[in-house]
Coordinates of all heavy atoms in Angstrom, one line a residue:
L1 N 1.5 18.8 14.3 CA 0.1 18.1 14.1 C 0.0 16.9 15.0 O -1.0 16.6 15.6 CB -0.1 17.8 12.7 CG -0.4 19.0 11.8 CD1 -0.3 18.6 10.3 CD2 -1.7 19.7 12.1
L2 N 1.1 16.1 15.1 CA 1.1 14.9 15.9 C 1.0 15.3 17.4 O 0.3 14.6 18.1 CB 2.3 14.1 15.7 CG 2.4 13.4 14.3 CD1 3.8 12.9 14.0 CD2 1.4 12.2 14.3
R3 N 1.6 16.3 17.8 CA 1.5 16.8 19.2 C 0.1 17.2 19.5 O -0.5 16.9 20.6 CB 2.5 17.8 19.5 CG 3.9 17.3 19.7 CD 4.9 18.4 20.1 NE 6.3 17.9 20.1 CZ 7.1 18.1 19.1 NH1 6.8 19.0 18.0 NH2 8.3 17.7 19.1
S4 N -0.5 17.9 18.6 CA -1.9 18.4 18.8 C -2.9 17.2 18.8 O -4.0 17.3 19.3 CB -2.3 19.4 17.8 OG -2.5 18.8 16.5
K5 N -2.5 16.0 18.2 CA -3.3 14.8 18.3 C -3.1 14.0 19.6 O -3.8 13.1 19.8 CB -3.0 14.0 17.0 CG -4.0 12.8 16.8 CD -3.8 12.3 15.4 CE -4.6 11.0 15.2 NZ -6.0 11.3 14.9
G6 N -2.2 14.4 20.4 CA -2.1 13.8 21.7 C -0.8 13.1 21.9 O -0.5 12.5 23.0
I7 N 0.2 13.1 21.0 CA 1.5 12.5 21.2 C 2.4 13.5 21.8 O 3.1 14.3 21.1 CB 2.0 11.9 19.8 CG1 1.0 11.0 19.2 CG2 3.4 11.3 20.0 CD1 1.4 10.5 17.7
Q8 N 2.4 13.5 23.1 CA 3.2 14.5 23.8 C 4.7 14.1 23.9 O 5.5 14.9 24.1 CB 2.6 14.7 25.2 CG 1.2 15.3 25.2 CD 1.2 16.6 24.3 OE1 2.0 17.5 24.5 NE2 0.2 16.6 23.4
Q9 N 5.0 12.8 23.9 CA 6.4 12.3 24.0 C 7.0 12.1 22.6 O 7.5 11.1 22.3 CB 6.4 11.0 24.8 CG 6.0 11.1 26.3 CD 6.4 9.9 27.1 OE1 7.6 9.5 27.2 NE2 5.4 9.2 27.6
L10 N 6.9 13.2 21.8 CA 7.5 13.2 20.5 C 8.8 14.0 20.4 O 8.7 15.2 20.6 CB 6.5 13.7 19.5 CG 6.9 13.8 18.1 CD1 7.1 12.4 17.4 CD2 5.9 14.6 17.2
A11 N 9.8 13.3 20.2 CA 11.1 14.0 20.0 C 11.4 14.2 18.6 O 10.8 13.5 17.7 CB 12.2 13.2 20.7
T12 N 12.3 15.1 18.3 CA 12.8 15.2 16.9 C 14.2 14.7 16.8 O 15.1 15.2 17.6 CB 12.7 16.7 16.5 OG1 11.4 17.2 16.6 CG2 13.1 16.9 15.0
Y13 N 14.4 13.8 15.8 CA 15.8 13.3 15.7 C 16.7 14.3 15.1 O 16.3 15.0 14.1 CB 15.7 12.1 14.7 CG 17.1 11.6 14.4 CD1 17.8 10.8 15.4 CD2 17.7 11.8 13.2 CE1 19.1 10.3 15.1 CE2 19.0 11.4 12.9 CZ 19.7 10.7 13.9 OH 21.0 10.2 13.7
T14 N 17.8 14.5 15.7 CA 18.8 15.4 15.2 C 20.1 14.6 15.0 O 20.5 13.9 16.0 CB 19.1 16.6 16.1 OG1 19.3 16.1 17.4 CG2 18.0 17.6 16.1
P15 N 20.7 14.6 13.9 CA 21.9 13.8 13.6 C 23.0 14.4 14.5 O 23.1 15.5 14.9 CB 22.2 14.0 12.2 CG 21.3 15.0 11.6 CD 20.3 15.3 12.7
S16 N 24.0 13.5 14.8 CA 25.1 13.9 15.6 C 25.9 14.9 14.8 O 25.9 15.0 13.6 CB 26.0 12.7 16.0 OG 26.7 12.2 14.8
T17 N 26.6 15.7 15.5 CA 27.5 16.8 14.9 C 28.7 16.2 14.2 O 29.3 16.9 13.4 CB 28.0 17.8 16.0 OG1 28.7 17.1 17.0 CG2 26.8 18.6 16.5
E18 N 28.9 14.9 14.5 CA 30.1 14.2 13.8 C 29.7 13.8 12.4 O 30.5 13.3 11.7 CB 30.5 13.0 14.7 CG 31.0 13.4 16.1 CD 31.2 12.1 16.9 OE1 31.1 11.0 16.4 OE2 31.4 12.3 18.1
T19 N 28.4 13.9 12.1 CA 28.0 13.4 10.8 C 28.7 14.2 9.6 O 28.7 15.4 9.7 CB 26.5 13.6 10.6 OG1 25.9 12.9 11.7 CG2 26.0 13.0 9.3
N20 N 29.2 13.5 8.7 CA 29.8 14.1 7.5 C 28.7 14.7 6.7 O 27.7 14.1 6.4 CB 30.5 12.9 6.8 CG 31.3 13.5 5.5 OD1 31.1 14.6 5.1 ND2 32.2 12.6 5.0
N21 N 28.9 15.9 6.2 CA 28.0 16.6 5.4 C 27.7 15.9 4.1 O 26.6 16.0 3.6 CB 28.4 18.1 5.1 CG 28.3 19.0 6.3 OD1 27.5 18.7 7.2 ND2 29.0 20.1 6.3
L22 N 28.7 15.2 3.6 CA 28.5 14.4 2.3 C 27.5 13.3 2.6 O 26.8 12.9 1.7 CB 29.8 13.9 1.8 CG 30.8 15.0 1.3 CD1 32.1 14.3 0.8 CD2 30.1 15.8 0.1
A23 N 27.5 12.7 3.8 CA 26.6 11.7 4.1 C 25.1 12.2 4.1 O 24.2 11.4 3.8 CB 26.9 11.0 5.5
E24 N 24.9 13.4 4.4 CA 23.6 14.0 4.3 C 23.0 14.0 3.0 O 21.8 14.0 2.8 CB 23.6 15.5 4.9 CG 23.9 15.6 6.3 CD 23.0 14.9 7.2 OE1 21.8 14.9 7.0 OE2 23.5 14.2 8.2
L25 N 23.9 14.0 1.9 CA 23.4 13.9 0.6 C 22.7 12.5 0.3 O 21.9 12.4 -0.6 CB 24.5 14.2 -0.4 CG 25.1 15.6 -0.3 CD1 26.2 15.7 -1.3 CD2 24.0 16.6 -0.6
D26 N 23.2 11.5 1.0 CA 22.6 10.1 0.9 C 21.5 10.0 1.9 O 21.7 9.6 3.0 CB 23.7 9.1 1.1 CG 23.1 7.7 0.9 OD1 21.9 7.5 0.6 OD2 23.9 6.7 0.9
Q27 N 20.3 10.5 1.5 CA 19.2 10.5 2.4 C 18.8 9.2 3.0 O 18.4 9.1 4.2 CB 17.9 11.1 1.7 CG 18.1 12.5 1.3 CD 16.8 13.1 0.7 OE1 15.9 13.4 1.5 NE2 16.7 13.2 -0.6
Q28 N 18.8 8.1 2.2 CA 18.4 6.8 2.7 C 19.4 6.3 3.7 O 19.0 5.8 4.7 CB 18.4 5.8 1.5 CG 17.7 4.5 1.9 CD 16.2 4.7 2.3 OE1 15.4 5.4 1.6 NE2 15.9 4.2 3.4
K29 N 20.7 6.6 3.5 CA 21.7 6.2 4.5 C 21.5 7.0 5.8 O 21.5 6.4 6.9 CB 23.1 6.5 4.0 CG 24.2 6.1 5.0 CD 25.5 6.3 4.3 CE 26.7 5.9 5.3 NZ 28.0 6.2 4.8
S30 N 21.2 8.2 5.7 CA 20.9 9.1 6.9 C 19.7 8.6 7.6 O 19.6 8.5 8.9 CB 20.7 10.5 6.5 OG 21.9 11.1 6.0
L31 N 18.6 8.2 6.9 CA 17.4 7.7 7.5 C 17.7 6.4 8.2 O 17.2 6.2 9.4 CB 16.3 7.5 6.5 CG 15.0 7.0 7.0 CD1 14.4 7.8 8.1 CD2 14.0 6.8 5.9
S32 N 18.4 5.5 7.6 CA 18.7 4.2 8.3 C 19.5 4.4 9.5 O 19.3 3.8 10.6 CB 19.6 3.3 7.3 OG 18.8 3.0 6.2
Q33 N 20.4 5.4 9.5 CA 21.2 5.7 10.7 C 20.3 6.3 11.8 O 20.5 5.9 13.0 CB 22.3 6.7 10.3 CG 23.2 7.0 11.5 CD 24.4 7.9 11.0 OE1 24.2 8.8 10.2 NE2 25.6 7.8 11.6
A34 N 19.4 7.1 11.4 CA 18.4 7.7 12.4 C 17.6 6.6 13.0 O 17.4 6.6 14.2 CB 17.5 8.7 11.6
I35 N 17.1 5.6 12.2 CA 16.3 4.6 12.8 C 17.1 3.8 13.8 O 16.6 3.5 14.9 CB 15.7 3.7 11.6 CG1 14.6 4.5 10.9 CG2 15.1 2.4 12.2 CD1 14.1 3.9 9.6
N36 N 18.3 3.4 13.4 CA 19.2 2.7 14.3 C 19.4 3.4 15.6 O 19.4 2.8 16.7 CB 20.5 2.2 13.6 CG 20.3 1.2 12.5 OD1 19.3 0.4 12.6 ND2 21.1 1.2 11.6
N37 N 19.8 4.7 15.4 CA 20.1 5.5 16.7 C 18.9 5.6 17.6 O 19.1 5.5 18.8 CB 20.7 6.9 16.3 CG 22.0 6.8 15.6 OD1 22.7 5.8 15.7 ND2 22.4 7.9 15.0
T38 N 17.8 5.9 17.1 CA 16.6 6.1 17.9 C 16.1 4.8 18.5 O 15.6 4.8 19.6 CB 15.5 6.8 17.1 OG1 15.1 6.0 16.0 CG2 15.8 8.2 16.7
K39 N 16.3 3.7 17.8 CA 15.9 2.4 18.4 C 16.7 2.2 19.6 O 16.2 1.7 20.7 CB 16.1 1.3 17.3 CG 15.7 0.0 17.7 CD 15.9 -1.0 16.5 CE 15.7 -2.4 16.9 NZ 15.9 -3.3 15.8
V40 N 18.1 2.4 19.5 CA 19.0 2.2 20.7 C 18.6 3.1 21.8 O 18.8 2.8 23.0 CB 20.4 2.4 20.2 CG1 21.4 2.5 21.3 CG2 20.8 1.3 19.2

């Protein structure tokens, strides 16, 4: 929907393959990590 609204430079964050599966259970931690990684 965002792309159809005109945001063509929209990437989808994918966590690194090194991410521990147990960390995925802590959604807030995963989100904080995603924000830090994408900012960099």
Side-chain angles (χ1 to χ4, degrees):
L1 291 167
L2 288 163
R3 287 186 185 100
S4 71
K5 191 165 172 81
I7 301 172
Q8 297 306 312
Q9 294 193 63
L10 177 67
T12 300
Y13 174 77
T14 50
S16 71
T17 54
E18 299 170 8
T19 304
N20 182 344
N21 287 338
L22 294 177
E24 293 301 317
L25 297 176
D26 184 356
Q27 294 184 76
Q28 194 60 50
K29 182 179 178 183
S30 296
L31 178 60
S32 295
Q33 185 177 36
I35 290 171
N36 289 336
N37 290 347
T38 55
K39 183 178 174 180
V40 168

